[in-house]
Structure formats: C-alpha cells, structure tokens
Amino acid sequence: GAVVSQHPSRVICKSGTSVKIECRSLDFQATTMFWYRQFPKQSLMLMATSNEGSKATYEQGVEKDKFLINHASLTLSTLTVTSAHPEDSSFYICSARTGTGGLSSYNEQFFGPGTRLTVL
Amino acid sequence: RKEVEQDPGPFNVPEGATVAFNCTYSNSASQSFFWYRQDCRKEPKLLMSVYSSGNEDGRFTAQLNRASQYISLLIRDSKLSDSATYLCVVNGAGYSTLTFGKGTMLLVSP
C-alpha cells in the first residue's frame, strides 16, 4: 500500500510553545489529507480535512486559529499546534487519500505513523 | 447515541479460540464500512472492508446488517499476533470522511 510519513514521531515541549507536525505522502499524490487526534482509550477524532491549495475544513469544536493546517503541495501537509498547553497532549495522526471521495467512489485513506505530543 | 459504538472489551481469549466483535452505527446513510486494527501506540491499519453480502479474508469474516445498522467481525483460530484493538469504521454519505469507533481490545494468550 501507499506510504505516509509523519515527523516528528514524538515531541515534548513546554507550555506556550508552538509545535509543527509534518505529514508526507511518499509514493503518491494526496489530493486530500486528514488530521486526527486520539486521546488515551478514545477513538480517533477527525480534526480537519485539507485539500491541496485550499483552506482546511475544521470539525466542530476544533479551533482553526490554534491548529493551523497548511496543505501547500500534493505530498505535504503540516499541522501547527500554536501556544500548546498540557491539554493538547495527544496522539496526532494524519492520513492521505488520492481521490476526492465523491459519491460514486471510495478512496482508501493511508495513515501516517502518528506523532505523540507531550506538553509539559 | 454515539455515531459508532463498540464494546471496549478487553476480550481475553486463548490461542486457537474464535472471537466475535460487534459494532453499531447511527447514520443510516452510511455507505462504506471497515474494520481497522490498531496496535498499541501505533496508527490504525485497514484490516478489511465490510460488504453487504459478507466477506471473508483468511481467518477473518466480516458481516454487515444494514437494516439493524450492525457490523461484525469474526476471528477464527486466534493467534497471539491478533492481540490489538479492532476499530469499527464507517464512511458517511458522500464518502468524504471516516468515523471511528473507540475500538475493542483483544488479548490472545498462550
């Protein structure tokens, strides 16, 4: 299957700092990328959907000014957690999809290995 | 009602056992259904899609009941390596996003 990488795999930072997480599709062009967050013993929760070259669509309850998403190319999306606080500590996972997921088709999402963020 | 509900488990079974997981979903317009596997502190990986007619992949059998909005996964002849959390995942109308259940933890012991 297609490969998606994330960097860094783990980050520990002080409260108030900003953290950038990169998500790359290594062997395919990702029309759409998704950012998820998973707290311990909880399900993956979709934070936002981003299409290359356009603004991300955020899920209800996710602050767009706090979680900045940039999808500048078909192989790279970044998530920046601005002014991180301890409650932002979580497992952040991106996924990438080749198609647009229209009514007539489903395009598989390929997940990155995740980034574990710990804010002290 | 939660969009995708699963029994969190854990299900503790011996090697060789058969185990079944269930999942219910609330959106009757859901179009596609999947089982993902997630190992501890790792990303989820697609195990299999679930088709209306039911489908099998080796030791794994998935079934869908649209009328009851119910999905199941059966694992036969459990292996130690099957120990993981199994996520029920539903793709909504429009195929745009995936909704994940919290997962059911399976622990297979020698």
Side-chain angles (χ1 to χ4, degrees):
Chain A
V3 179
V4 176
S5 70
Q6 267 185 255
H7 177 79
S9 59
R10 185 175 187 136
V11 60
I12 301 173
C13 68
K14 292 182 179 180
S15 184
T17 60
S18 293
V19 176
K20 180 186 280 189
I21 303 170
E22 290 186 350
C23 177
R24 292 182 186 272
S25 56
L26 298 186
D27 51 3
F28 68 101
Q29 293 186 326
T31 308
T32 306
M33 286 185 169
F34 303 86
W35 286 96
Y36 296 84
R37 181 168 54 181
Q38 186 178 33
F39 292 107
K41 300 187 187 298
Q42 299 297 313
S43 57
L44 271 75
M45 296 300 296
L46 180 65
M47 299 175 67
T49 302
S50 73
N51 292 298
E52 184 264 339
S54 61
K55 289 184 180 179
T57 302
Y58 289 80
E59 295 299 302
Q60 191 173 11
V62 178
E63 299 175 56
K64 62 179 182 180
D65 294 329
K66 180 170 180 64
F67 299 99
L68 302 178
I69 291 172
N70 184 288
H71 191 167
S73 78
L74 285 171
T75 59
L76 173 65
S77 176
T78 60
L79 168 68
T80 302
V81 183
T82 62
S83 186
H85 291 285
E87 58 266 29
D88 298 323
S89 298
S90 187
F91 191 44
Y92 291 85
I93 306 176
C94 73
S95 72
R97 184 180 69 197
T98 54
T100 57
L103 284 172
S104 62
S105 67
Y106 168 71
N107 301 103
E108 183 179 349
Q109 289 186 29
F110 299 96
F111 287 84
T115 296
R116 194 160 299 280
L117 171 64
T118 303
V119 185
L120 303 175
Chain B
R1 180 182 175 186
K2 293 178 184 174
E3 290 192 62
V4 180
E5 288 203 66
Q6 296 180 249
D7 180 343
F11 284 54
N12 289 284
V13 302
E15 268 187 296
T18 295
V19 61
F21 306 136
N22 302 319
C23 165
T24 57
Y25 60 95
S26 61
N27 185 353
S28 59
S30 298
Q31 298 290 332
S32 303
F33 310 90
F34 311 91
W35 284 101
Y36 275 72
R37 169 193 170 129
Q38 186 174 26
D39 292 288
C40 188
R41 303 173 83 84
K42 299 283 188 182
E43 78 277 21
K45 294 187 177 177
L46 180 64
L47 179 65
M48 60 194 303
S49 301
V50 187
Y51 302 119
S52 297
S53 54
N55 51 298
E56 187 174 306
D57 183 1
R59 297 182 294 109
F60 300 85
T61 301
Q63 298 214 311
L64 167 65
N65 184 322
R66 285 187 184 270
S68 302
Q69 296 178 203
Y70 170 96
I71 306 160
S72 66
L73 176 67
L74 181 78
I75 304 176
R76 290 181 298 279
D77 188 24
S78 299
K79 311 291 184 190
L80 295 177
S81 56
D82 293 335
S83 297
T85 296
Y86 291 83
L87 307 174
C88 177
V89 184
V90 174
N91 192 275
Y95 295 89
S96 56
T97 60
L98 297 176
T99 301
F100 286 79
K102 285 187 180 182
T104 299
M105 183 181 290
L106 171 65
L107 300 172
V108 182
S109 55

